[in-house]
Amino acid sequence: MIIESRHEKFPVGKYVVGEFGWRTHTISNGKPMLNGVPQAWIIPDLGNLPLSIALGALGMPGNTAYFGFLELCQPKPGETVFVTGAAGAVGSLVGQIAKIKGCKVVGIAGSDEKGKWLTDELGFDHFINYKTDDIVKKIKECAPNGIDCYFDNVGGEISSKILLNMNTFGRISVCGAISGYNETSSPKATIVQYPVTMNQLRMEGFIAHRWLDRWFEGIQQNMKWIEEGKLKYRETVTHGFENMYSAFADMLRGGNTGKAIVKV
Amino acid sequence: MIIESRHEKFPVGKYVVGEFGWRTHTISNGKPMLNGVPQAWIIPDLGNLPLSIALGALGMPGNTAYFGFLELCQPKPGETVFVTGAAGAVGSLVGQIAKIKGCKVVGIAGSDEKGKWLTDELGFDHFINYKTDDIVKKIKECAPNGIDCYFDNVGGEISSKILLNMNTFGRISVCGAISGYNETSSPKATIVQYPVTMNQLRMEGFIAHRWLDRWFEGIQQNMKWIEEGKLKYRETVTHGFENMYSAFADMLRGGNTGKAIVKV
């Protein structure tokens, strides 16, 4: 919350979101930082929604899903969309946006409890548990007509297997490679160049700030979908600043469903 | 050569190119095959150029270089372009087209003899020998400002290393994964998703027949550049049908420079 201000666009009493690091107070001039990351933006009127949503579905993760999926995958009604990290802050929104756009959606995550949430509550068509399922067999079962769009949060071997089942001119939006973030050296996986060539795939990586000039378009659209009941979200909240490290490590292990939040 | 015809577009005496397989005679109705591959196309007037060029610089490999590089990499003057398989039928043309477009070009191949041809005769700025050079060090030396475009013929670990040195919004045209074609199982390499995300790269695979409707544009432009002395080509010719297998295996081992041709 802004407690003192000499900037008319940042009035006292409003709430801001910024990537300031962990701190009690921050002084900001409101200008973007050098690398284009916004130092602070005002949280719009959220109605009855909790403030923390500005860190999730109506913040950077929400815009990551909105722009990263729609702009790079260019999904068309009737197409088959795969999402890894499907129960995470971004993946769970991507799958729902794909449903809104009339696609068939398959989510991949690491527990049946997450899968139940995806299919029973969020409307995903199918769920694959990468820890217990026969991935190759399940991919073919869930996508008998092949895969058109893939939103990749994880990288690694699962992604290589998905690429082998993509249709000609399939699109891949690469949001991250979380499967390797816990490794001390860069992980290896079956090379992607073979399916990329044979299936003439387009794979594109992104950072959400690419669409900084359309930032509030994403937030407003996601808010509208939430109000209409078309977009649901979940938060895994850890209480206490002292539990920040374990919350972060747990997120990398896949312990969270939806956005991982630390409440101080 | 057409020896008998009832199709006005395929008159007797003209030469055709087609992916018919190895055979002495072929009957064709001149129509494209189901997968869009042209069953036969007439070789245009080549002037003093040898007929075999219709299998190389003025055929599928020439169009692979022309469309695959220009359309997917979208090179701009002053940008740094990397090419693997640089001394091959396609790679050698890609590097020269990049020079024509005002780029700085670095070729990667497997012998210093090939490298000498690339830099001394074809005008490549730098050459890296992937069998004997310290690849990571050489990449940084040859591309102090990073890499903007990468034409990938090989896949595998070299490609992963190149991707780590690409600039934001770099473009990768994936033509093949020859590094793995001799393997009995799919090879693994350091995953690409990390640099693809961090550097916001676009990687796109293709098969040249995607541009079938512009096929002769590529051939005519390449022919013009050859006539102007801007595009040079080489053929590695193996004589005798009985030597076909060894010519093919030798090509996969990198024995050829330029287009590998078997003359029967």
Side-chain angles (χ1 to χ4, degrees), chain A residues 126-150:
Chain A
H126 298 287
F127 165 69
I128 299 177
N129 185 329
Y130 72 86
K131 290 181 179 169
T132 57
D133 283 331
D134 178 338
I135 306 269
V136 174
K137 187 165 159 256
K138 272 287 225 178
I139 290 173
K140 289 186 194 298
E141 276 174 19
C142 295
N145 299 319
I147 301 162
D148 302 292
C149 303
Y150 171 38

PDB file of all heavy atoms in Angstrom, chain A residues 126-150:
ATOM      1  N   HIS A 126      -8.663 -34.017 -20.226  1.00  0.00           N
ATOM      2  CA  HIS A 126      -7.909 -35.182 -19.748  1.00  0.00           C
ATOM      3  C   HIS A 126      -6.762 -34.725 -18.868  1.00  0.00           C
ATOM      4  O   HIS A 126      -6.303 -33.591 -18.959  1.00  0.00           O
ATOM      5  CB  HIS A 126      -7.314 -35.976 -20.920  1.00  0.00           C
ATOM      6  CG  HIS A 126      -8.340 -36.541 -21.828  1.00  0.00           C
ATOM      7  ND1 HIS A 126      -9.129 -37.608 -21.471  1.00  0.00           N
ATOM      8  CD2 HIS A 126      -8.706 -36.201 -23.086  1.00  0.00           C
ATOM      9  CE1 HIS A 126      -9.943 -37.894 -22.478  1.00  0.00           C
ATOM     10  NE2 HIS A 126      -9.716 -37.055 -23.465  1.00  0.00           N
ATOM     11  N   PHE A 127      -6.309 -35.674 -18.053  1.00  0.00           N
ATOM     12  CA  PHE A 127      -5.166 -35.410 -17.166  1.00  0.00           C
ATOM     13  C   PHE A 127      -4.168 -36.557 -17.288  1.00  0.00           C
ATOM     14  O   PHE A 127      -4.554 -37.721 -17.376  1.00  0.00           O
ATOM     15  CB  PHE A 127      -5.657 -35.298 -15.721  1.00  0.00           C
ATOM     16  CG  PHE A 127      -4.546 -35.398 -14.720  1.00  0.00           C
ATOM     17  CD1 PHE A 127      -3.594 -34.383 -14.600  1.00  0.00           C
ATOM     18  CD2 PHE A 127      -4.425 -36.522 -13.897  1.00  0.00           C
ATOM     19  CE1 PHE A 127      -2.559 -34.479 -13.681  1.00  0.00           C
ATOM     20  CE2 PHE A 127      -3.385 -36.616 -12.977  1.00  0.00           C
ATOM     21  CZ  PHE A 127      -2.448 -35.602 -12.869  1.00  0.00           C
ATOM     22  N   ILE A 128      -2.882 -36.233 -17.335  1.00  0.00           N
ATOM     23  CA  ILE A 128      -1.826 -37.251 -17.328  1.00  0.00           C
ATOM     24  C   ILE A 128      -0.938 -37.001 -16.108  1.00  0.00           C
ATOM     25  O   ILE A 128      -0.489 -35.867 -15.884  1.00  0.00           O
ATOM     26  CB  ILE A 128      -0.976 -37.183 -18.621  1.00  0.00           C
ATOM     27  CG1 ILE A 128      -1.858 -37.453 -19.849  1.00  0.00           C
ATOM     28  CG2 ILE A 128       0.177 -38.188 -18.561  1.00  0.00           C
ATOM     29  CD1 ILE A 128      -1.126 -37.334 -21.189  1.00  0.00           C
ATOM     30  N   ASN A 129      -0.726 -38.056 -15.314  1.00  0.00           N
ATOM     31  CA  ASN A 129       0.157 -37.970 -14.158  1.00  0.00           C
ATOM     32  C   ASN A 129       1.551 -38.415 -14.598  1.00  0.00           C
ATOM     33  O   ASN A 129       1.781 -39.595 -14.868  1.00  0.00           O
ATOM     34  CB  ASN A 129      -0.370 -38.877 -13.040  1.00  0.00           C
ATOM     35  CG  ASN A 129       0.445 -38.745 -11.768  1.00  0.00           C
ATOM     36  OD1 ASN A 129       1.649 -38.481 -11.814  1.00  0.00           O
ATOM     37  ND2 ASN A 129      -0.212 -38.926 -10.629  1.00  0.00           N
ATOM     38  N   TYR A 130       2.462 -37.454 -14.708  1.00  0.00           N
ATOM     39  CA  TYR A 130       3.774 -37.792 -15.279  1.00  0.00           C
ATOM     40  C   TYR A 130       4.600 -38.670 -14.349  1.00  0.00           C
ATOM     41  O   TYR A 130       5.601 -39.244 -14.770  1.00  0.00           O
ATOM     42  CB  TYR A 130       4.552 -36.526 -15.671  1.00  0.00           C
ATOM     43  CG  TYR A 130       5.098 -35.710 -14.520  1.00  0.00           C
ATOM     44  CD1 TYR A 130       6.338 -36.004 -13.962  1.00  0.00           C
ATOM     45  CD2 TYR A 130       4.382 -34.633 -14.009  1.00  0.00           C
ATOM     46  CE1 TYR A 130       6.830 -35.244 -12.903  1.00  0.00           C
ATOM     47  CE2 TYR A 130       4.869 -33.879 -12.965  1.00  0.00           C
ATOM     48  CZ  TYR A 130       6.096 -34.187 -12.417  1.00  0.00           C
ATOM     49  OH  TYR A 130       6.581 -33.451 -11.375  1.00  0.00           O
ATOM     50  N   LYS A 131       4.187 -38.763 -13.095  1.00  0.00           N
ATOM     51  CA  LYS A 131       4.951 -39.599 -12.161  1.00  0.00           C
ATOM     52  C   LYS A 131       4.513 -41.061 -12.196  1.00  0.00           C
ATOM     53  O   LYS A 131       5.302 -41.944 -11.879  1.00  0.00           O
ATOM     54  CB  LYS A 131       4.814 -39.057 -10.738  1.00  0.00           C
ATOM     55  CG  LYS A 131       5.550 -37.729 -10.515  1.00  0.00           C
ATOM     56  CD  LYS A 131       5.418 -37.232  -9.081  1.00  0.00           C
ATOM     57  CE  LYS A 131       6.173 -35.917  -8.898  1.00  0.00           C
ATOM     58  NZ  LYS A 131       5.853 -35.265  -7.614  1.00  0.00           N
ATOM     59  N   THR A 132       3.262 -41.301 -12.543  1.00  0.00           N
ATOM     60  CA  THR A 132       2.759 -42.683 -12.446  1.00  0.00           C
ATOM     61  C   THR A 132       2.243 -43.244 -13.771  1.00  0.00           C
ATOM     62  O   THR A 132       2.170 -44.459 -13.929  1.00  0.00           O
ATOM     63  CB  THR A 132       1.610 -42.764 -11.417  1.00  0.00           C
ATOM     64  OG1 THR A 132       0.586 -41.838 -11.808  1.00  0.00           O
ATOM     65  CG2 THR A 132       2.103 -42.403 -10.022  1.00  0.00           C
ATOM     66  N   ASP A 133       1.878 -42.394 -14.720  1.00  0.00           N
ATOM     67  CA  ASP A 133       1.306 -42.906 -15.973  1.00  0.00           C
ATOM     68  C   ASP A 133       2.376 -43.322 -16.970  1.00  0.00           C
ATOM     69  O   ASP A 133       3.503 -42.835 -16.933  1.00  0.00           O
ATOM     70  CB  ASP A 133       0.419 -41.834 -16.626  1.00  0.00           C
ATOM     71  CG  ASP A 133      -0.929 -41.707 -15.951  1.00  0.00           C
ATOM     72  OD1 ASP A 133      -1.406 -42.716 -15.401  1.00  0.00           O
ATOM     73  OD2 ASP A 133      -1.513 -40.597 -15.975  1.00  0.00           O
ATOM     74  N   ASP A 134       2.003 -44.218 -17.890  1.00  0.00           N
ATOM     75  CA  ASP A 134       2.832 -44.526 -19.062  1.00  0.00           C
ATOM     76  C   ASP A 134       2.632 -43.361 -20.038  1.00  0.00           C
ATOM     77  O   ASP A 134       1.648 -43.303 -20.778  1.00  0.00           O
ATOM     78  CB  ASP A 134       2.368 -45.847 -19.675  1.00  0.00           C
ATOM     79  CG  ASP A 134       3.148 -46.209 -20.936  1.00  0.00           C
ATOM     80  OD1 ASP A 134       3.730 -45.306 -21.578  1.00  0.00           O
ATOM     81  OD2 ASP A 134       3.165 -47.397 -21.273  1.00  0.00           O
ATOM     82  N   ILE A 135       3.560 -42.412 -20.018  1.00  0.00           N
ATOM     83  CA  ILE A 135       3.373 -41.130 -20.712  1.00  0.00           C
ATOM     84  C   ILE A 135       3.080 -41.306 -22.202  1.00  0.00           C
ATOM     85  O   ILE A 135       2.119 -40.734 -22.730  1.00  0.00           O
ATOM     86  CB  ILE A 135       4.645 -40.262 -20.583  1.00  0.00           C
ATOM     87  CG1 ILE A 135       5.047 -40.086 -19.114  1.00  0.00           C
ATOM     88  CG2 ILE A 135       4.452 -38.930 -21.274  1.00  0.00           C
ATOM     89  CD1 ILE A 135       4.460 -38.904 -18.452  1.00  0.00           C
ATOM     90  N   VAL A 136       3.915 -42.100 -22.877  1.00  0.00           N
ATOM     91  CA  VAL A 136       3.772 -42.236 -24.330  1.00  0.00           C
ATOM     92  C   VAL A 136       2.396 -42.797 -24.692  1.00  0.00           C
ATOM     93  O   VAL A 136       1.713 -42.291 -25.596  1.00  0.00           O
ATOM     94  CB  VAL A 136       4.900 -43.126 -24.900  1.00  0.00           C
ATOM     95  CG1 VAL A 136       4.685 -43.391 -26.377  1.00  0.00           C
ATOM     96  CG2 VAL A 136       6.259 -42.459 -24.663  1.00  0.00           C
ATOM     97  N   LYS A 137       1.983 -43.828 -23.944  1.00  0.00           N
ATOM     98  CA  LYS A 137       0.687 -44.458 -24.202  1.00  0.00           C
ATOM     99  C   LYS A 137      -0.444 -43.462 -23.926  1.00  0.00           C
ATOM    100  O   LYS A 137      -1.382 -43.321 -24.730  1.00  0.00           O
ATOM    101  CB  LYS A 137       0.564 -45.682 -23.275  1.00  0.00           C
ATOM    102  CG  LYS A 137      -0.640 -46.557 -23.517  1.00  0.00           C
ATOM    103  CD  LYS A 137      -0.473 -47.912 -22.822  1.00  0.00           C
ATOM    104  CE  LYS A 137      -1.818 -48.578 -22.621  1.00  0.00           C
ATOM    105  NZ  LYS A 137      -2.296 -48.512 -21.224  1.00  0.00           N
ATOM    106  N   LYS A 138      -0.337 -42.744 -22.819  1.00  0.00           N
ATOM    107  CA  LYS A 138      -1.381 -41.799 -22.428  1.00  0.00           C
ATOM    108  C   LYS A 138      -1.488 -40.628 -23.414  1.00  0.00           C
ATOM    109  O   LYS A 138      -2.590 -40.150 -23.709  1.00  0.00           O
ATOM    110  CB  LYS A 138      -1.067 -41.246 -21.034  1.00  0.00           C
ATOM    111  CG  LYS A 138      -1.628 -42.100 -19.902  1.00  0.00           C
ATOM    112  CD  LYS A 138      -3.144 -41.954 -19.814  1.00  0.00           C
ATOM    113  CE  LYS A 138      -3.565 -41.775 -18.376  1.00  0.00           C
ATOM    114  NZ  LYS A 138      -5.025 -41.576 -18.248  1.00  0.00           N
ATOM    115  N   ILE A 139      -0.341 -40.166 -23.915  1.00  0.00           N
ATOM    116  CA  ILE A 139      -0.376 -39.069 -24.886  1.00  0.00           C
ATOM    117  C   ILE A 139      -1.192 -39.489 -26.094  1.00  0.00           C
ATOM    118  O   ILE A 139      -2.059 -38.760 -26.584  1.00  0.00           O
ATOM    119  CB  ILE A 139       1.059 -38.655 -25.316  1.00  0.00           C
ATOM    120  CG1 ILE A 139       1.798 -37.965 -24.170  1.00  0.00           C
ATOM    121  CG2 ILE A 139       1.014 -37.744 -26.544  1.00  0.00           C
ATOM    122  CD1 ILE A 139       3.269 -37.671 -24.465  1.00  0.00           C
ATOM    123  N   LYS A 140      -0.920 -40.697 -26.583  1.00  0.00           N
ATOM    124  CA  LYS A 140      -1.627 -41.169 -27.779  1.00  0.00           C
ATOM    125  C   LYS A 140      -3.115 -41.374 -27.499  1.00  0.00           C
ATOM    126  O   LYS A 140      -3.968 -41.095 -28.344  1.00  0.00           O
ATOM    127  CB  LYS A 140      -0.984 -42.467 -28.282  1.00  0.00           C
ATOM    128  CG  LYS A 140       0.394 -42.210 -28.900  1.00  0.00           C
ATOM    129  CD  LYS A 140       0.986 -43.460 -29.533  1.00  0.00           C
ATOM    130  CE  LYS A 140       2.456 -43.277 -29.834  1.00  0.00           C
ATOM    131  NZ  LYS A 140       2.747 -42.203 -30.807  1.00  0.00           N
ATOM    132  N   GLU A 141      -3.446 -41.837 -26.301  1.00  0.00           N
ATOM    133  CA  GLU A 141      -4.850 -42.034 -25.936  1.00  0.00           C
ATOM    134  C   GLU A 141      -5.598 -40.698 -25.851  1.00  0.00           C
ATOM    135  O   GLU A 141      -6.738 -40.584 -26.293  1.00  0.00           O
ATOM    136  CB  GLU A 141      -4.953 -42.705 -24.563  1.00  0.00           C
ATOM    137  CG  GLU A 141      -4.824 -44.223 -24.593  1.00  0.00           C
ATOM    138  CD  GLU A 141      -4.791 -44.796 -23.169  1.00  0.00           C
ATOM    139  OE1 GLU A 141      -5.211 -44.090 -22.222  1.00  0.00           O
ATOM    140  OE2 GLU A 141      -4.328 -45.937 -23.032  1.00  0.00           O
ATOM    141  N   CYS A 142      -4.928 -39.711 -25.245  1.00  0.00           N
ATOM    142  CA  CYS A 142      -5.591 -38.416 -25.025  1.00  0.00           C
ATOM    143  C   CYS A 142      -5.618 -37.557 -26.296  1.00  0.00           C
ATOM    144  O   CYS A 142      -6.391 -36.602 -26.372  1.00  0.00           O
ATOM    145  CB  CYS A 142      -4.873 -37.639 -23.926  1.00  0.00           C
ATOM    146  SG  CYS A 142      -4.969 -38.416 -22.312  1.00  0.00           S
ATOM    147  N   ALA A 143      -4.733 -37.865 -27.241  1.00  0.00           N
ATOM    148  CA  ALA A 143      -4.652 -37.044 -28.461  1.00  0.00           C
ATOM    149  C   ALA A 143      -4.624 -37.946 -29.691  1.00  0.00           C
ATOM    150  O   ALA A 143      -3.626 -37.995 -30.412  1.00  0.00           O
ATOM    151  CB  ALA A 143      -3.416 -36.152 -28.416  1.00  0.00           C
ATOM    152  N   PRO A 144      -5.731 -38.652 -29.936  1.00  0.00           N
ATOM    153  CA  PRO A 144      -5.734 -39.574 -31.088  1.00  0.00           C
ATOM    154  C   PRO A 144      -5.531 -38.837 -32.424  1.00  0.00           C
ATOM    155  O   PRO A 144      -5.066 -39.439 -33.389  1.00  0.00           O
ATOM    156  CB  PRO A 144      -7.114 -40.233 -31.006  1.00  0.00           C
ATOM    157  CG  PRO A 144      -7.943 -39.319 -30.161  1.00  0.00           C
ATOM    158  CD  PRO A 144      -6.995 -38.675 -29.201  1.00  0.00           C
ATOM    159  N   ASN A 145      -5.855 -37.566 -32.460  1.00  0.00           N
ATOM    160  CA  ASN A 145      -5.664 -36.791 -33.703  1.00  0.00           C
ATOM    161  C   ASN A 145      -4.414 -35.923 -33.665  1.00  0.00           C
ATOM    162  O   ASN A 145      -4.249 -35.015 -34.473  1.00  0.00           O
ATOM    163  CB  ASN A 145      -6.890 -35.911 -33.966  1.00  0.00           C
ATOM    164  CG  ASN A 145      -8.149 -36.744 -34.138  1.00  0.00           C
ATOM    165  OD1 ASN A 145      -8.125 -37.794 -34.786  1.00  0.00           O
ATOM    166  ND2 ASN A 145      -9.230 -36.308 -33.517  1.00  0.00           N
ATOM    167  N   GLY A 146      -3.544 -36.185 -32.703  1.00  0.00           N
ATOM    168  CA  GLY A 146      -2.317 -35.397 -32.611  1.00  0.00           C
ATOM    169  C   GLY A 146      -2.523 -34.113 -31.819  1.00  0.00           C
ATOM    170  O   GLY A 146      -3.647 -33.734 -31.480  1.00  0.00           O
ATOM    171  N   ILE A 147      -1.421 -33.442 -31.545  1.00  0.00           N
ATOM    172  CA  ILE A 147      -1.425 -32.238 -30.712  1.00  0.00           C
ATOM    173  C   ILE A 147      -1.138 -31.015 -31.595  1.00  0.00           C
ATOM    174  O   ILE A 147      -0.230 -31.035 -32.416  1.00  0.00           O
ATOM    175  CB  ILE A 147      -0.349 -32.361 -29.616  1.00  0.00           C
ATOM    176  CG1 ILE A 147      -0.631 -33.596 -28.742  1.00  0.00           C
ATOM    177  CG2 ILE A 147      -0.276 -31.093 -28.766  1.00  0.00           C
ATOM    178  CD1 ILE A 147       0.567 -34.058 -27.936  1.00  0.00           C
ATOM    179  N   ASP A 148      -1.928 -29.968 -31.423  1.00  0.00           N
ATOM    180  CA  ASP A 148      -1.744 -28.763 -32.241  1.00  0.00           C
ATOM    181  C   ASP A 148      -0.966 -27.665 -31.511  1.00  0.00           C
ATOM    182  O   ASP A 148      -0.189 -26.939 -32.126  1.00  0.00           O
ATOM    183  CB  ASP A 148      -3.112 -28.227 -32.670  1.00  0.00           C
ATOM    184  CG  ASP A 148      -3.904 -29.270 -33.434  1.00  0.00           C
ATOM    185  OD1 ASP A 148      -3.485 -29.602 -34.560  1.00  0.00           O
ATOM    186  OD2 ASP A 148      -4.901 -29.785 -32.903  1.00  0.00           O
ATOM    187  N   CYS A 149      -1.236 -27.537 -30.216  1.00  0.00           N
ATOM    188  CA  CYS A 149      -0.572 -26.501 -29.422  1.00  0.00           C
ATOM    189  C   CYS A 149      -0.022 -27.119 -28.151  1.00  0.00           C
ATOM    190  O   CYS A 149      -0.664 -27.974 -27.541  1.00  0.00           O
ATOM    191  CB  CYS A 149      -1.555 -25.396 -29.009  1.00  0.00           C
ATOM    192  SG  CYS A 149      -2.391 -24.596 -30.374  1.00  0.00           S
ATOM    193  N   TYR A 150       1.154 -26.656 -27.756  1.00  0.00           N
ATOM    194  CA  TYR A 150       1.745 -27.149 -26.519  1.00  0.00           C
ATOM    195  C   TYR A 150       2.293 -25.965 -25.730  1.00  0.00           C
ATOM    196  O   TYR A 150       3.146 -25.228 -26.218  1.00  0.00           O
ATOM    197  CB  TYR A 150       2.848 -28.166 -26.827  1.00  0.00           C
ATOM    198  CG  TYR A 150       3.665 -28.576 -25.618  1.00  0.00           C
ATOM    199  CD1 TYR A 150       3.070 -28.760 -24.367  1.00  0.00           C
ATOM    200  CD2 TYR A 150       5.037 -28.778 -25.722  1.00  0.00           C
ATOM    201  CE1 TYR A 150       3.820 -29.126 -23.258  1.00  0.00           C
ATOM    202  CE2 TYR A 150       5.786 -29.147 -24.612  1.00  0.00           C
ATOM    203  CZ  TYR A 150       5.176 -29.305 -23.382  1.00  0.00           C
ATOM    204  OH  TYR A 150       5.931 -29.646 -22.288  1.00  0.00           O
TER     205      TYR A 150
END
